[in-house]
Amino acid sequence: MQDTYRHKGLRRKLVESLQRKGITDERVLAAMDVVPRHFFLDSAFADLAYQDQALPIECEQTISQPYTVAFQTQLLEVKKRDKVLEIGTGSGYQAAILGAMGARVFTVERQENLFNKTRKFLTSMGFKNVHCYFRDGTNGLPEFAPYDKIIATAGAAKVPEALLRQLKIGGILVIPVGKKLQKMKRIIRKSETEYSEENRGDFRFVPFLKGTQ
Ligand code: SAH
């Protein structure tokens, strides 16, 4: 696959549209300007890669809408070298955006086929700071905890305890919570036992499911 001038032009237009929709974090916008989203899609959907819409990937999953990726990433306030845990690797696009921002990314996926395919793909793309694991994200990824930031890209019925525990003090967790429609929650760990929580709008995600398959 190639990243042509045409793709770069479409990507620039997409980034401008994200700015108009309220995304202001320059580092998020810069990452979305460099990562070729069409590489993360089946060729049948490649033409739609730079429309601001969610699209199907394998195993009945979806790659999130670019605005949602930008919005969640902005809420995370990612800094270079941050250790970030992502739940729901999917196509690997969100992980690649975090990687392009210089974060050390640990991403978990519960579907083995998707995990295998995306791990190979991210390696072939040269993302050395993105590490993929085949896991049920309900349990987080305790071996590398605590994390500066945690992001869930599937809608959870409630916030998994393990994710709260694996957050550093001062760390930020961004997670969509709810059944059909989710509230985007931004949770900050204030101390060993205290967390603050705010709702940042309604979104629709594929469900956060228990177990692996
Ligand atoms: N971040 C992805 C979005 C994929 S959709 C991207 O950029 O493409 C959400 C993903 O979460 C799906 O791949 C789904 O299989 C996965 N998922 C759902 N529940 C999970 C869980 N408990 N643990 C790990 N992954 C999960």
Side-chain angles (χ1 to χ4, degrees):
M1 215 174 310
Q2 278 196 318
D3 192 25
T4 63
Y5 281 113
R6 185 177 145 266
H7 291 119
K8 291 188 172 94
L10 291 171
R11 203 147 67 234
R12 172 53 54 87
K13 286 216 164 66
L14 173 65
V15 167
E16 285 165 6
S17 82
L18 296 174
Q19 266 177 313
R20 282 196 299 276
K21 291 175 186 171
I23 304 298
T24 51
D25 185 330
E26 291 292 337
R27 303 191 44 238
V28 174
L29 295 166
M32 295 195 63
D33 199 32
V34 296
V35 177
R37 188 169 183 258
H38 64 288
F39 285 11
F40 294 77
L41 293 164
D42 192 278
S43 55
F45 296 106
D47 278 352
L48 298 174
Y50 300 107
Q51 308 277 354
D52 191 14
Q53 66 184 69
L55 290 166
I57 54 172
E58 268 170 69
C59 307
E60 292 170 20
Q61 300 304 318
T62 57
I63 179 171
S64 303
Q65 183 183 340
Y67 175 76
T68 305
V69 173
F71 187 75
Q72 284 196 285
T73 311
Q74 178 162 286
L75 288 180
L76 275 186
E77 294 178 14
V78 179
K79 297 188 185 64
K80 259 203 174 125
R81 305 282 304 150
D82 265 358
K83 199 200 284 182
V84 183
L85 172 64
E86 180 196 22
I87 311 300
T89 311
S91 70
Y93 179 68
Q94 172 73 70
I97 293 293
L98 295 165
M101 293 175 77
R104 292 170 290 159
V105 185
F106 296 84
T107 180
V108 302
E109 172 56 55
R110 66 178 288 278
Q111 299 216 36
E112 196 166 15
N113 289 343
L114 211 46
F115 156 75
N116 280 322
K117 185 179 171 222
T118 302
R119 183 179 54 169
K120 276 200 203 103
F121 169 68
L122 288 171
T123 306
S124 75
M125 290 273 290
F127 280 103
K128 292 201 182 64
N129 54 346
V130 180
H131 310 281
C132 298
Y133 293 85
F134 172 48
R135 294 292 175 84
D136 174 1
T138 313
N139 307 317
L141 190 64
E143 52 269 58
F144 302 104
Y147 300 95
D148 297 293
K149 312 284 161 64
I150 302 178
I151 175 173
T153 64
K158 66 184 193 55
V159 181
E161 273 295 319
L163 301 187
L164 294 170
R165 269 200 312 276
Q166 291 172 25
L167 198 58
K168 269 188 198 167
I169 293 173
I172 303 175
L173 163 63
V174 173
I175 181 167
V177 180
K179 289 236 166 81
K180 267 201 176 143
L181 194 68
Q182 292 87 30
K183 297 263 178 241
M184 189 64 76
K185 290 199 184 286
R186 184 174 189 263
I187 298 171
I188 301 178
R189 187 169 196 174
K190 295 288 184 190
S191 70
E192 199 55 49
T193 52
E194 294 162 298
Y195 296 84
S196 70
E197 184 181 304
E198 49 190 16
N199 285 338
R200 292 300 194 92
D202 294 338
F203 289 82
R204 208 177 293 272
F205 281 81
V206 293
F208 194 122
L209 299 171
K210 261 187 173 290
T212 52
Q213 70 175 45

